[in-house]
Amino acid sequence: MDVVKFGLQLGYWMMGPEDPIELVKLAEDVGFDSVWTAEAYGSDAISYLSWVGARTSRIKLGTSVVQISARTPACTAMTAMTMDHLSGGRLILGIGVSGPQVVEGWYGQPFPRPMARTREFIELLRTMLKREGPVTFDGNHYQLPLDGGSGLG
């Protein structure tokens, strides 16, 4: 039997007096499975979810897209682990590449081979989330420890 789950999409946290927490609490009370946030210029998804997660207890907390150009794999892993711990295991992490306008224009990062970068990012993220030991990686887009660095990593 298929189960239908309902999610509430909040979108971006925009400037203004509107606080969606009463809507989120109502969604949780009537049995919605999840609430979702996104990020764009000036608004990140995780801070928004932290605000929501601190005021709810059961509803899952999802990021529609956390942009990989905005964070390293290690930063994303640490943020996800912290958010999941603080929320009692409610985080659903969605990641994505955005587009060249945002990546190059807002983050000042190159936008080469987005699918290959995403594959490496996910591989690193999964390894880091397992927490099985020191992480080394020799990819085309990510290297751990940094090649040519101090050697202390």
Side-chain angles (χ1 to χ4, degrees):
M1 182 170 139
D2 293 331
V3 176
V4 175
K5 295 181 180 181
F6 290 96
L8 174 63
Q9 174 59 273
L10 296 178
Y12 311 114
W13 183 274
M14 301 310 245
M15 298 300 191
E18 300 84 23
D19 182 352
I21 198 60
E22 293 307 317
L23 179 62
V24 175
K25 287 180 179 179
L26 177 61
E28 183 176 59
D29 288 345
V30 300
F32 273 53
D33 178 69
S34 54
V35 59
W36 297 83
T37 63
E39 59 188 26
Y41 298 105
S43 173
D44 80 283
I46 297 292
S47 297
Y48 196 179
L49 278 186
S50 296
W51 178 259
V52 170
R55 289 157 179 80
T56 58
S57 61
R58 295 180 313 278
I59 198 164
K60 292 179 185 148
L61 309 165
T63 62
S64 297
V65 172
V66 166
Q67 299 172 26
I68 69 172
S69 295
R71 302 160 183 86
T72 63
C75 178
T76 303
M78 291 187 306
T79 302
M81 286 186 278
T82 302
M83 183 68 189
D84 196 56
H85 173 73
L86 291 173
S87 69
R90 295 186 287 150
L91 180 68
I92 303 169
L93 180 65
I95 65 167
V97 297
S98 191
Q101 180 181 10
V102 173
V103 173
E104 295 171 354
W106 183 248
Y107 295 118
Q109 300 293 317
F111 192 71
R113 304 182 48 125
M115 290 302 294
R117 271 184 61 234
T118 302
R119 282 187 202 98
E120 284 188 18
F121 192 97
I122 291 171
E123 185 177 343
L124 263 168
L125 186 61
R126 285 180 173 159
T127 300
M128 292 170 172
L129 291 174
K130 288 179 184 176
R131 301 177 65 131
E132 294 176 342
V135 177
T136 59
F137 191 82
D138 188 24
N140 293 318
H141 302 276
Y142 301 100
Q143 294 83 39
L144 291 176
L146 178 66
D147 189 31
S150 67
L152 298 175

